[in-house]
Amino acid sequence: MGKDERKKPKAVEAGAVAVATAEAPTGLSRKDYEARLEPLEVELNRLARWIQQTGQRLLVIFEGRDTAGKGGAISAIADTLNPRQCHVVALSKPTEVERTQWYFQRYVPHLPAAGQIALFDRSWYNRAGVERVMGWCTEPEYRRFLKQAPVFEKLLVDDGVLVFKYWLTVDQGQQEARFRERLEDPLKRWKLSPIDLKSREKYREYGEARDAMLEATHTKHAPWTLIDFNDQRAGRLALIRHLLDRIPDTEVPPESIEFPPLPGPPQRERFAGPLKPIVPKA
């Protein structure tokens, strides 16, 4: 699909701050989703090649309520990229030592170097979200964060880092259904924490914290983009399309690789010692 055919995001008002939201198709089957995702994966690999060859640094922040779909969106981007180049950053709660540091300090080592992509599954915005709502930071710490975050991000942008911030939106009905799925599915049960259960009682408070965060940190140099993730497949496609549309033309021809024929017939793997491979049964 050419750039002129792509749907462009529309500006809307959220409280006092203008944010962008991307339109997305709804009710996608897995087959339709995978068919639409495949060409985006090709473009993502072109983007990764451009970043590597030009020494760019790409930072993408994923925020949103519990169950919004941050992990799935990150996987949709990272799954076909080189894991040595594209790093997923999902930090656990701060240690006792980290609690005594400058708040942003523990995130700095995970920022991208030249030629790298960093995908943050939550970020320093924990302070404006869960820490604020659950009372894990003081009022002065919270106010200081709202002042420092735009300055910190301005330093990154001024140094040449490409910064993109996404907030994934989800209605409470969808959130409840996803919590229930995590409860009943043994393969997803690990995703359900006591904090998740507590957040069910604070849907409104999280919304108020989000609006205050957007108002303080939606800046010209590092704007927020809101994506509707009530349909997670459609949301992933919209997010990836939006990200690709906001980066300059990244067409870099792949390196030409010669692939001559083998000098003889293919050989079977042989083992001289007692160890032998397990052969799967049909």
Side-chain angles (χ1 to χ4, degrees):
M1 183 181 289
K3 280 201 174 179
D4 359 355
E5 299 174 72
R6 300 170 185 161
K7 288 186 178 178
K8 297 297 180 183
K10 300 187 297 185
V12 297
E13 288 294 325
V17 59
V19 297
T21 181
E23 293 181 347
T26 56
L28 283 174
S29 67
R30 177 176 292 277
K31 183 178 179 181
D32 287 342
Y33 166 69
E34 290 176 351
R36 297 189 189 200
L37 179 61
E38 187 174 357
L40 296 179
E41 290 175 330
V42 173
E43 288 194 57
L44 284 168
N45 274 269
R46 288 177 186 157
L47 168 63
R49 189 162 59 244
W50 173 78
I51 287 173
Q52 187 172 48
Q53 292 197 16
T54 60
Q56 297 285 342
R57 293 166 289 168
L58 176 61
L59 167 64
V60 188
I61 292 172
F62 297 80
E63 293 286 351
R65 297 176 184 273
D66 296 318
T67 81
K70 298 177 289 294
I74 290 171
S75 293
I77 294 172
D79 279 354
T80 62
L81 301 182
N82 184 344
R84 294 182 180 85
Q85 179 193 17
C86 179
H87 305 139
V88 177
V89 180
L91 301 186
S92 58
K93 66 180 183 180
T95 65
E96 289 303 315
V97 171
E98 288 172 333
R99 291 179 193 277
T100 67
Q101 297 172 345
W102 176 49
Y103 180 71
F104 296 90
Q105 186 170 337
R106 77 187 192 114
Y107 297 99
V108 171
H110 303 281
L111 294 172
Q116 292 184 344
I117 300 168
L119 308 177
F120 274 57
D121 186 347
R122 297 196 184 277
S123 66
W124 42 86
Y125 283 102
N126 277 342
R127 172 132 298 176
V130 62
E131 291 188 25
R132 170 66 168 172
V133 173
M134 303 304 289
W136 295 342
C137 65
T138 65
E139 186 70 18
E141 287 173 335
Y142 168 71
R143 296 294 170 192
R144 185 161 60 247
F145 169 81
L146 293 182
K147 289 182 179 179
Q148 289 185 352
V151 178
F152 176 63
E153 291 166 1
K154 183 70 161 57
L155 291 172
L156 297 179
V157 173
D158 286 350
D159 201 58
V161 180
L162 301 172
V163 177
F164 295 89
K165 303 186 302 190
Y166 289 99
W167 181 275
L168 283 49
T169 74
V170 60
D171 297 333
Q172 193 170 23
Q174 276 291 338
Q175 187 184 48
E176 279 292 291
R178 293 171 191 174
F179 277 142
R180 174 63 61 180
E181 182 184 13
R182 291 179 178 184
L183 179 65
E184 296 174 353
D185 186 343
L187 301 182
K188 295 184 178 180
R189 188 66 180 270
W190 64 270
K191 295 183 177 183
L192 194 61
S193 71
I195 303 304
D196 294 332
L197 297 177
K198 192 70 177 174
S199 72
R200 294 174 63 232
E201 306 167 12
K202 296 183 177 291
Y203 188 88
R204 179 181 56 81
E205 289 89 339
Y206 271 101
E208 292 170 350
R210 175 208 60 214
D211 290 343
M213 179 199 74
L214 292 176
E215 185 170 5
T217 62
H218 176 70
T219 61
K220 185 177 180 181
H221 57 269
W224 281 98
T225 299
L226 277 58
I227 308 282
D228 186 333
F229 258 67
N230 283 295
D231 182 327
Q232 290 185 322
R233 291 173 183 166
R236 291 173 205 153
L237 296 175
L239 190 152
I240 295 171
R241 178 75 278 153
H242 183 276
L243 176 64
L244 290 168
D245 283 348
R246 259 132 199 85
I247 293 179
D249 186 4
T250 59
E251 186 63 39
V252 175
E255 183 182 351
S256 179
I257 299 176
E258 290 188 14
F259 198 69
L262 290 171
Q267 300 183 41
R268 296 191 64 178
E269 210 167 4
R270 301 182 184 278
F271 303 87
L275 293 176
K276 306 296 180 186
I278 295 172
V279 180
K281 295 180 180 179

